[in-house]
Amino acid sequence: MKEEVRLMKGNEAIAHAAIRYGCDGYFGYPITPQSEVLETLEELMPWETTGMVVLQAESEVAAINMVYGGAASGKAVMTSSSSPGVSLKQEGISYIAAASLPALILNVMRGGPGLGTIQPSQADYFQATKGGGHGDYHLIVLAPSTVQEMVDFVGLGFDLAFKYTNPAMILADGIVGQMMEKVVLPAQRPRRTEEEIRKQCPWAADGRKDGRKRNVVTSLELESARMEVINHQLQARYREIEKNETRWEEIDVEDADYLIVAFGSIARICTKAKELAAEKGIKVGIVRPITLWPFPTEAIARAAKGKKGILCVELNAGQMIEDVRLAVHDSLPVEHFGRLGGIIPSPDEVVKALEEKIVK
Amino acid sequence: MEIQDIIRPENKVYSTPELLDNVHMHYCPGCSHGVIHKLLAEVIAEMGLTEKTVGISPVGCAVFAYNYIDVDWVEAAHGRAPAVATAISRLWPEDVVFTYQGDGDMSAIGTAESIHAANRGENIVMVFVNNAIYGMTGGQMAPTTLVGQKTATTPYGRRVDLNGHPLEITNLMAILDGTCYVTRQSVHTPANVRKTKAALKKAFQNALDKKGTSVVEVVATCNSGWKMSPEKANEWMAEHMFAKYPLGDLKNE
């Protein structure tokens, strides 16, 4: 398949991207608002073309453990779900992280807590960036704000996951999942051959080919002294990822008096709010974290220098704001604005919040 | 005739399987797991599957199975071995994937994964060791614990009104269209050991032939959990367990 320009939903784009980036297997369970990922894959039948495996599992729990198995055998595998389903996956995600396996997990967030709503939300920021499952671990968390980024982050997510043998998550929301946009789908990247997999993943449990020593994938180590060593190795990898892979976007930060920090779809609403504020003479710059973990702490600290205040705009009750406050150490006012329960604020609401909470 | 005249390769009747590691096992003396491990090691080597076998070890006493049998292993979360096996089997269709699960793994926390993998007819082997107790955590009730059986969480014996009935999950597996071979065996006598080995061979052959899911239940003892001598545990198993879990094929297609 050649590069192709199409109009499609974010969820559909994920399915196309998975095939085109050479994904070996997708394991999912339907949940609104992301069921189109599995539906599109079933419709495209990639097992007939690239050989990709697609399977509707009996639960989110089974799906993430299929991902664990597939990743343990060296394959490029992924799953997708939405908030309540991603909660169910957390045990498996912890195992995948602990066993140092590459995998890709998509969360198209909806409003919680509990069964919540099916409308867009960003209320799983804490879950995605602060652990989610048990133990000291981190996912590489990518936050798309466009359908194009949904596509791009499938490729980037797999690349980073394999580079660091660490699971990556695309933390999207119902807006990016459901909206249609023009998107450039990449040319087909061939799936890796078995030889390439064995070269890239010498640790994979795929049968002791050619009489090599056995590979064991486990997260179990009862000896505390050895478990501490494993933890230190994980932490060293996290420091390396922080050093190399922190990503963010800045819009007119230099000339601004105020900053908005926002990620994902709401960051785009904030670019309109920025224009409306400029009409009122309020000069606003935007920092959009692209990796939520590692968080662009230094970039925000740098951007905040000389500014009068920061408004964190999130579709939640105030989660990322904690990381922003840590980044700037009380050097300027940092306030939160967000709507809950699946409500998407208008640009006017954002400007009003900016005026009331920051400009004053 | 001197003893040295007898010790010759052609006279050898028994040896350690090449795939069974010469290490100290963590299992209690008298436990059935060691025999079942030995049989798996023999079957895999004899069928020439060393380079295409992946085992999925459970949470439970057999969690460390990967330390004993010299094939590739993935250690699964509690109950999830069939899901892990499903993915590897689908992604590496030339491989033979088997799960090794206890009664908690198979019939409590992993019931959904076990039933659904079998119902999909995944080309895997599920080895189910049923000793009617949770050995690893210190002898608590399992779904397969017999009525009246004393465990750490049924100290006065399992009561149906409090704890429900023993779960015959293998019978459930047998009625699923995805299973091709469901059998219940034991390893408490030499004859039964040989039958279990034959059952495992058939199950692995089914996986090679892509016939669907094979389930080999091994009714087993947990002498330390049951608080009996190994010999007494074997007697108790034959007397009580086989009444609820009778040996033999439940399905053989």
Side-chain angles (χ1 to χ4, degrees):
Chain A
M1 282 184 284
K2 289 189 179 132
E3 187 181 287
E4 202 178 341
V5 180
R6 296 275 296 273
L7 177 72
M8 62 173 68
K9 278 186 176 188
N11 290 335
E12 295 166 343
I14 289 280
H16 284 270
I19 297 167
R20 285 168 179 258
Y21 279 113
C23 177
D24 294 310
Y26 169 93
F27 305 90
Y29 187 80
I31 180 172
T32 308
Q34 62 79 54
S35 298
E36 296 90 348
V37 180
L38 176 57
E39 289 170 1
T40 306
L41 282 167
E42 295 285 3
E43 193 182 332
L44 293 171
M45 297 198 295
W47 52 91
E48 300 281 351
T49 52
T50 70
M52 177 184 175
V53 169
V54 180
L55 181 60
Q56 178 170 339
E58 62 270 33
S59 68
E60 285 93 347
V61 175
I64 193 67
N65 282 283
M66 289 171 184
V67 168
Y68 173 69
S73 71
K75 297 279 185 170
V77 288
M78 66 181 289
T79 185
S80 68
S81 191
S82 179
S83 307
V86 176
S87 291
L88 280 169
K89 290 182 191 292
Q90 291 302 326
E91 179 201 35
I93 292 173
S94 172
Y95 276 64
I96 292 168
S100 292
L101 298 175
L104 184 63
I105 303 129
L106 167 69
N107 181 0
V108 182
M109 287 181 283
R110 62 189 242 185
L115 200 49
T117 176
I118 58 170
Q119 309 301 335
S121 166
Q122 295 180 323
D124 301 345
Y125 177 92
F126 282 153
Q127 186 195 56
T129 63
K130 309 297 180 193
H134 57 284
D136 278 317
Y137 75 90
H138 279 293
L139 305 176
I140 299 165
V141 183
L142 303 165
S145 67
T146 62
V147 175
Q148 186 64 53
E149 279 187 335
M150 290 284 258
V151 169
D152 297 344
F153 290 176
V154 171
L156 178 63
F158 272 125
D159 287 347
L160 293 176
F162 274 89
K163 181 176 176 186
Y164 295 99
T165 55
N166 198 77
M169 173 177 275
I170 299 176
L171 190 69
D173 57 57
I175 305 174
V176 192
Q178 290 295 329
M179 71 181 177
M180 294 184 88
E181 281 192 301
K182 187 182 95 169
V183 62
V184 182
L185 298 173
Q188 181 67 46
R189 185 199 279 186
R191 287 174 58 229
R192 293 163 304 154
T193 64
E194 293 192 4
E195 287 66 34
E196 285 168 337
I197 289 172
R198 292 198 181 97
K199 192 153 178 266
Q200 186 178 21
C201 309
W203 41 262
D206 60 343
R208 289 178 48 207
K209 301 292 181 304
D210 306 321
R212 64 155 166 76
K213 285 177 68 177
R214 74 170 172 265
N215 283 333
V216 175
V217 175
T218 180
S219 60
L220 177 65
E221 179 50 71
L222 293 182
E223 189 66 50
S224 296
R226 278 190 234 136
M227 193 68 227
E228 189 178 43
V229 170
I230 292 168
N231 267 282
H232 282 314
Q233 288 165 347
L234 289 176
Q235 292 301 317
R237 178 192 306 151
Y238 300 145
R239 299 297 87 76
E240 192 71 11
I241 296 170
E242 285 172 336
K243 197 173 79 187
N244 299 334
E245 308 300 345
T246 309
R247 288 166 163 80
W248 70 95
E249 181 189 11
E250 294 182 12
I251 305 171
D252 297 335
V253 165
E254 290 296 316
D255 303 328
D257 294 320
Y258 304 94
L259 281 185
I260 286 177
V261 182
F263 68 93
S265 57
I266 191 70
R268 293 174 71 180
I269 292 170
C270 290
T271 59
K272 182 68 183 172
K274 172 185 168 303
E275 289 170 20
L276 297 179
E279 289 169 14
K280 294 184 171 193
I282 305 168
K283 286 161 70 178
V284 181
I286 295 175
V287 179
R288 177 174 73 95
I290 293 172
T291 52
L292 301 183
W293 194 90
F295 193 71
T297 305
E298 287 171 26
I300 287 172
R302 218 165 34 238
K305 286 227 170 70
K307 304 292 189 289
K308 295 174 185 167
I310 298 179
L311 187 68
C312 287
V313 184
E314 307 174 65
L315 295 178
N316 57 41
Q319 299 191 12
M320 181 185 65
I321 188 172
E322 294 191 3
D323 289 322
V324 174
R325 281 188 170 143
L326 280 171
V328 300
H329 294 297
D330 291 331
S331 59
L332 73 169
V334 181
E335 298 296 336
H336 166 263
F337 172 69
R339 296 294 303 267
L340 309 175
I343 304 282
I344 305 160
S346 68
D348 288 324
E349 280 179 85
V350 176
V351 175
K352 189 157 167 272
L354 192 67
E355 289 177 311
E356 286 175 2
K357 294 179 178 231
I358 298 292
V359 181
K360 291 177 186 171
Chain B
M1 186 184 282
E2 296 296 316
I3 183 81
Q4 291 308 321
D5 296 326
I6 299 170
I7 303 174
R8 292 169 182 278
E10 61 267 31
N11 290 334
K12 190 155 113 180
V13 292
Y14 186 84
S15 63
T16 308
E18 60 174 291
L19 291 181
L20 199 63
D21 290 319
N22 188 17
V23 294
H24 193 89
M25 284 187 175
H26 74 287
Y27 298 116
C28 306
C31 170
S32 306
H33 277 304
V35 180
I36 303 165
H37 281 22
K38 184 204 78 155
L39 293 179
L40 277 166
E42 284 179 356
V43 164
I44 293 165
E46 286 170 18
M47 295 179 74
L49 301 176
T50 306
E51 296 191 3
K52 48 170 35 180
T53 298
V54 181
I56 316 297
S57 67
V59 168
C61 285
V63 65
F64 289 120
Y66 55 73
N67 285 333
Y68 308 132
I69 303 174
D70 194 13
V71 295
D72 277 2
W73 284 92
V74 179
E75 200 289 301
H78 199 14
R80 316 302 172 216
V84 175
T86 293
I88 299 177
S89 174
R90 295 237 180 173
L91 290 160
W92 296 92
E94 300 304 311
D95 282 355
V96 175
V97 186
F98 74 92
T99 67
Y100 191 106
Q101 302 173 260
D103 34 50
D105 209 82
M106 177 74 94
S107 62
I109 196 168
T111 308
E113 286 78 4
S114 299
I115 291 280
H116 282 280
N119 193 50
R120 285 191 301 265
E122 301 295 342
N123 292 306
I124 60 173
V125 177
M126 299 167 85
V127 180
F128 168 37
V129 180
N130 175 11
N131 56 14
I133 204 162
Y134 283 34
M136 186 62 129
T137 44
Q140 296 85 8
M141 181 186 71
T144 53
T145 294
L146 299 179
V147 174
Q149 190 181 343
K150 288 182 180 174
T151 72
T153 50
T154 54
Y156 309 106
R158 180 174 187 160
R159 280 171 51 178
V160 168
D161 60 335
L162 292 178
N163 312 112
H165 300 272
L167 179 57
E168 296 150 294
I169 191 151
T170 308
N171 299 49
L172 292 178
M173 298 290 207
I175 62 170
L176 303 175
D177 289 338
T179 53
C180 59
Y181 178 49
V182 180
T183 187
R184 191 182 284 125
Q185 301 292 336
S186 78
V187 291
H188 69 305
T189 69
N192 288 101
V193 169
R194 280 194 288 275
K195 282 186 192 171
T196 300
K197 182 173 176 181
L200 289 170
K201 266 199 171 155
K202 183 187 282 283
F204 274 76
Q205 190 60 49
N206 287 340
L208 276 176
D209 296 343
K210 311 282 183 214
K211 285 176 73 175
T213 307
S214 295
V215 182
V216 179
E217 174 178 347
V218 183
V219 182
T221 60
C222 176
N223 48 286
S224 59
W226 294 358
K227 306 197 189 310
M228 296 175 195
S229 70
E231 193 183 0
K232 182 84 181 99
N234 275 345
E235 287 169 15
W236 191 88
M237 176 175 71
E239 192 178 335
H240 296 94
M241 294 275 283
F242 294 166
K244 182 70 182 167
Y245 307 110
L247 304 187
D249 289 351
L250 288 88
K251 185 183 204 177
N252 188 359
E253 290 177 349

